[in-house]
Amino acid sequence: LLSVEEIVDIAFYRGMLMQSAVTRDHQGFSGFAMVSVNPQRLGSGFGEEQLSQIIDLIRSSKKNTQGGLLEIANYNIKGEQYVVSGSLLLLAALRMVLDNLLETLVTANNDTTTVSIQPIVSKVLRSSEYILLRNSSGHIETSILRGIATVPLEGIDVPFHSSQLLPCVAPLRTVLQKYIVPENVNLGALRKHYIPNLTAQPFDVSREYFALVHSITSSPVLQKTLDKWSDSGNMDEQELATELVIELLAYQLASPVQWIDTQSQLLFEGTGVRRIIEIGTSPVLCGMVSKTLDSSNGFTCMEVNVLHVAQDRETVYYLDRKASEVTAPKTESPLPPKAVVEQAPAKEEGEKKEAPSAQEEPAASVPEEPSGTADFDDKAPHAIDVIAAVVARKFSMEREAVPLDKSIKAL
């Protein structure tokens, strides 16, 4: 679909759009954060359903919550890890409700069937601690979000994958339309292979799949296509696939990441996946997949290798295979001089050919040909050099001509 340079361009624009999705005060505070929630900390009977119920109850009390944001942004590990985006006030309320709920469950001997969540939410929203935070004109520190089942994500003050970022969809769509065009879309590579984490269903160009994406996103672009959909075969599949890819990528930044269901597709739906390779700076997704496999109780009948492109480089690139396992391809061309095996003199005509002795020396192996490249020390670039290189490309400047003391807006 895209070259590396085009991917960098899109990632740059996407990052700038997300940063502009929130308004900051003169001190740079946005009023938003994200927290990781582990429902299992509250007991085995508490899970995704109860967490969603609590979030809905807090959000529905608009009088006490000032209509703030509170949404599950990432579904990572079933029953164990969810990431919630929201305003600091409502995230603080979530932490208080979960802490209070644990105290109530302990008293009830962890019997979730006898515990009602509604009274606990009401109690928290009327508590002096919450009212003090709500009426405070100062900033709420993210440290207050840390509780028994909640951990704030340090350094993140943008509510990623939430409805707060919906205004970014249209400009991102415009950028994507510039780079993703029908003639560059490989439909064969996408269909039934690409699993968008927005739907957690294998990509397809069908009315049903368009309807599924529209039900999640309410995309006006997809609505127009659905309104004029024809099953007569007059629809251009290449153009439909292009439109669908663009809408999936545009709405992905403002929609929850369905990683739990995506893992289910990969591991438990008969896809035949034997290797999962994560490409990134650290094996975050590898850890999630490993935990999902550990909790599956052997439900998947295949052995799945979970690898990270950097940490498992030898295995990913098959560099750990022994030389004896690698069979050199047969060729009619003569062996290189060093690998030539000395031949016995030709037998006289009619003389019997003898069977090779079991003690014969094995044929010499073919040496690797020199690569023609020199070895260089691998040095990590400084962050400022990376940013300057991206900016230089965007403004068609030499890297050295980029003034490091100016803002992007000034440039």
Side-chain angles (χ1 to χ4, degrees):
L1 276 179
L2 300 164
S3 67
V4 173
E5 292 81 5
E6 289 168 337
I7 291 170
V8 170
D9 276 355
I10 292 171
F12 180 80
Y13 285 125
R14 186 177 182 272
M16 295 293 286
L17 281 170
M18 289 191 293
Q19 285 298 324
S20 67
V22 297
T23 304
R24 301 176 184 277
D25 65 13
H26 66 285
Q27 291 181 293
F29 287 98
S30 70
F32 294 99
M34 298 179 77
V35 299
S36 176
V37 181
N38 184 353
Q40 287 188 353
R41 296 262 178 116
L42 301 179
S44 57
F46 191 86
E48 182 181 314
E49 183 181 348
Q50 290 79 10
L51 176 61
S52 297
Q53 183 184 354
I54 290 172
I55 289 173
D56 289 341
L57 287 170
I58 293 174
R59 215 166 38 194
S60 64
S61 181
K62 295 191 173 162
K63 180 181 177 183
N64 291 323
T65 59
Q66 302 171 346
L69 178 79
L70 194 65
E71 299 173 7
I72 298 180
N74 295 68
Y75 295 79
N76 289 340
I77 306 172
K78 189 172 183 179
E80 187 173 335
Q81 189 185 114
Y82 303 84
V83 177
V84 180
S85 288
S87 57
L88 288 166
L89 179 63
L90 267 63
L91 288 172
L94 176 64
R95 189 271 299 167
M96 294 179 206
V97 170
L98 293 176
D99 286 358
N100 275 266
L101 182 58
L102 179 62
E103 294 176 12
T104 306
L105 285 169
V106 169
T107 306
N109 294 320
N110 288 325
D111 185 359
T112 56
T113 60
T114 62
V115 175
S116 177
I117 295 175
Q118 173 71 69
I120 297 174
V121 173
S122 299
K123 173 188 169 186
V124 165
L125 297 181
R126 292 196 307 266
S127 68
S128 57
E129 181 185 4
Y130 177 78
I131 292 172
L132 188 64
L133 286 174
R134 189 189 66 190
N135 296 335
S136 172
S137 57
H139 299 294
I140 297 175
E141 295 295 330
T142 55
S143 58
I144 204 170
L145 307 180
R146 183 178 292 275
I148 294 167
T150 55
V151 178
L153 305 187
E154 296 297 331
I156 296 181
D157 61 355
V158 176
F160 299 126
H161 298 292
S162 74
S163 57
Q164 180 71 24
L165 274 69
L166 280 172
C168 301
V169 169
L172 181 57
R173 179 192 292 122
T174 302
V175 172
L176 292 168
Q177 287 170 339
K178 174 184 173 184
Y179 291 99
I180 303 176
V181 291
E183 53 266 30
N184 293 338
V185 173
N186 186 341
L187 181 53
L190 293 172
R191 179 177 267 149
K192 303 302 181 184
H193 294 108
Y194 165 42
I195 303 178
N197 61 41
L198 185 144
T199 63
Q201 295 292 324
F203 182 89
D204 196 15
V205 180
S206 64
R207 195 182 198 289
E208 293 73 21
Y209 202 87
F210 267 71
L212 170 65
V213 179
H214 180 264
S215 69
I216 297 170
T217 63
S218 301
S219 163
V221 174
L222 297 184
Q223 183 63 65
K224 286 182 182 179
T225 301
L226 287 167
D227 290 342
K228 63 182 182 182
W229 193 279
S230 170
D231 293 322
S232 62
N234 296 329
M235 309 286 284
D236 187 326
E237 274 202 330
Q238 204 68 20
E239 290 187 1
L240 289 173
T242 304
E243 179 181 292
L244 190 53
V245 167
I246 290 171
E247 292 304 292
L248 284 166
L249 294 176
Y251 276 96
Q252 191 264 354
L253 88 167
S255 306
V257 175
Q258 302 290 347
W259 183 236
I260 292 173
D261 291 339
T262 300
Q263 290 177 96
S264 294
Q265 281 288 337
L266 291 170
L267 302 172
F268 311 126
E269 298 298 327
T271 57
V273 170
R274 303 298 298 273
R275 267 188 162 205
I276 293 179
I277 302 173
E278 179 178 357
I279 301 173
T281 54
S282 58
V284 176
L285 299 183
C286 286
M288 294 181 190
V289 173
S290 297
K291 285 188 177 181
T292 298
L293 286 169
D294 290 343
S295 63
S296 68
N297 297 318
F299 186 75
T300 176
C301 59
M302 288 188 179
E303 180 184 347
V304 179
N305 292 320
V306 183
L307 306 168
H308 184 262
V309 71
Q311 294 191 6
D312 303 299
R313 182 175 181 274
E314 297 275 314
T315 305
V316 169
Y317 292 104
Y318 297 97
L319 301 176
D320 58 347
R321 295 177 67 178
K322 296 177 182 176
S324 59
E325 296 175 357
V326 182
T327 305
K330 293 181 180 179
T331 176
E332 296 295 326
S333 59
L335 294 172
K338 289 184 181 178
V340 171
V341 180
E342 191 175 359
Q343 297 180 347
K347 301 286 184 183
E348 293 292 334
E349 194 171 357
E351 188 177 345
K352 276 188 173 182
K353 290 185 179 178
E354 295 180 6
S357 165
Q359 314 237 331
E360 279 184 337
E361 291 291 324
S365 60
V366 180
E368 291 185 8
E369 294 193 18
S371 64
T373 58
D375 291 331
F376 292 94
D377 291 336
D378 192 9
K379 293 180 66 177
H382 293 293
I384 190 65
D385 293 328
V386 176
I387 295 170
V390 172
V391 172
R393 184 174 185 277
K394 296 308 302 174
F395 289 100
S396 301
M397 303 166 64
E398 292 292 330
R399 156 66 185 88
E400 291 73 16
V402 176
L404 301 181
D405 58 341
K406 286 191 177 182
S407 67
I408 291 175
K409 186 175 180 180
L411 286 173

